[in-house]
Amino acid sequence: MTTAEFIAACFWPFIAIAVFALLKARDTEALGFVVKIVPVLVLAYVVLGILYDKSSIIAVNDVHIGLVILGLITAGSQLRQPPLYGSWRDKAKAFASMILIVLLGSGLAWYAGRMLFLDHLTSRIVIEGQVDRAWRSGGSRKADYLVRIANQTVKVAAPLYERLEKFRPAVRVEVGRGSNYVYDIEYLAN
């Protein structure tokens, strides 16, 4: 397990511990200390997530889980709206924006949730063959790492991309149906 995978794997347990610490320290002297530490650590994780989101498959899944939670929070934020006042046009504008926000949040949660569902709860696509080509989808730092194996293009995490680009071996890979990321790899020959 690389350092990036370890940090990514510790993200959700850290969130659970942070929420628990905030709830337990709510009415105690430790609240000031906890309130200072938790946002700093959350900010550090957010920065690491932005900088190294494609460093491991665990980090990719963390991003998808985060998008599901963000979508649900966005859609659920409209449940506690105060009563609408004013003319019927004012009420219609507010109601239309509420519907738009709920649709946006639901769409985001559906997109990321569907990807997670297809990757983890359905059978994976198995591809066997020689690595033909390895490239990046664009010039930016946020570009996807792509590899063509037996005339099928798949996404890979950064460390795997570097190995496949350098050696171009014959491999057997298992690819998630939703995200098209390689989850398991077996080297057949050099």
Side-chain angles (χ1 to χ4, degrees):
M1 177 180 272
T2 65
T3 304
E5 288 174 335
F6 177 75
I7 291 170
C10 291
F11 179 71
W12 293 110
F14 165 73
I15 293 296
I17 291 169
V19 168
F20 181 73
L22 286 172
L23 290 175
K24 282 297 187 184
R26 186 174 26 195
D27 296 327
T28 66
E29 299 279 329
L31 182 63
F33 177 72
V34 172
V35 168
K36 290 176 185 173
I37 294 294
V38 168
V40 170
L41 293 175
V42 168
L43 180 65
Y45 263 112
V46 168
V47 169
L48 286 172
I50 291 170
L51 294 177
Y52 299 107
D53 64 335
K54 293 181 175 53
S55 61
S56 74
I57 195 65
I58 299 170
V60 171
N61 287 330
D62 282 351
V63 169
H64 291 137
I65 292 169
L67 288 175
V68 168
I69 292 172
L70 179 66
L72 293 175
I73 289 171
T74 302
S77 70
Q78 299 304 306
L79 296 176
R80 290 189 171 193
Q81 289 297 322
L84 303 174
Y85 295 106
S87 68
W88 67 272
R89 285 187 182 181
D90 293 338
K91 290 179 184 178
K93 286 179 186 178
F95 192 64
S97 68
M98 286 170 53
I99 290 173
L100 185 64
I101 291 170
V102 167
L103 288 175
L104 177 71
S106 300
L108 182 62
W110 177 81
Y111 166 76
R114 179 182 175 275
M115 204 171 297
L116 286 169
F117 177 82
L118 290 174
D119 279 355
H120 297 288
L121 299 177
T122 61
S123 62
R124 296 196 175 129
I125 300 168
V126 176
I127 303 170
E128 189 172 317
Q130 186 77 28
V131 174
D132 301 329
R133 181 177 174 217
W135 73 100
R136 298 199 47 188
S137 64
S140 72
R141 203 190 72 67
K142 300 298 278 180
D144 287 327
Y145 298 102
L146 303 172
V147 175
R148 184 177 298 135
I149 302 169
N151 287 331
Q152 292 192 15
T153 302
V154 296
K155 297 177 185 176
V156 295
L160 181 58
Y161 170 80
E162 292 166 2
R163 283 192 302 264
L164 295 178
E165 181 184 38
K166 185 175 181 180
F167 299 114
R168 299 187 190 240
V171 294
R172 180 183 175 276
V173 295
E174 291 183 8
V175 180
R177 291 185 183 271
S179 65
N180 205 28
Y181 267 92
V182 170
Y183 276 87
D184 192 23
I185 185 167
E186 179 183 335
Y187 295 97
L188 301 176
N190 242 351

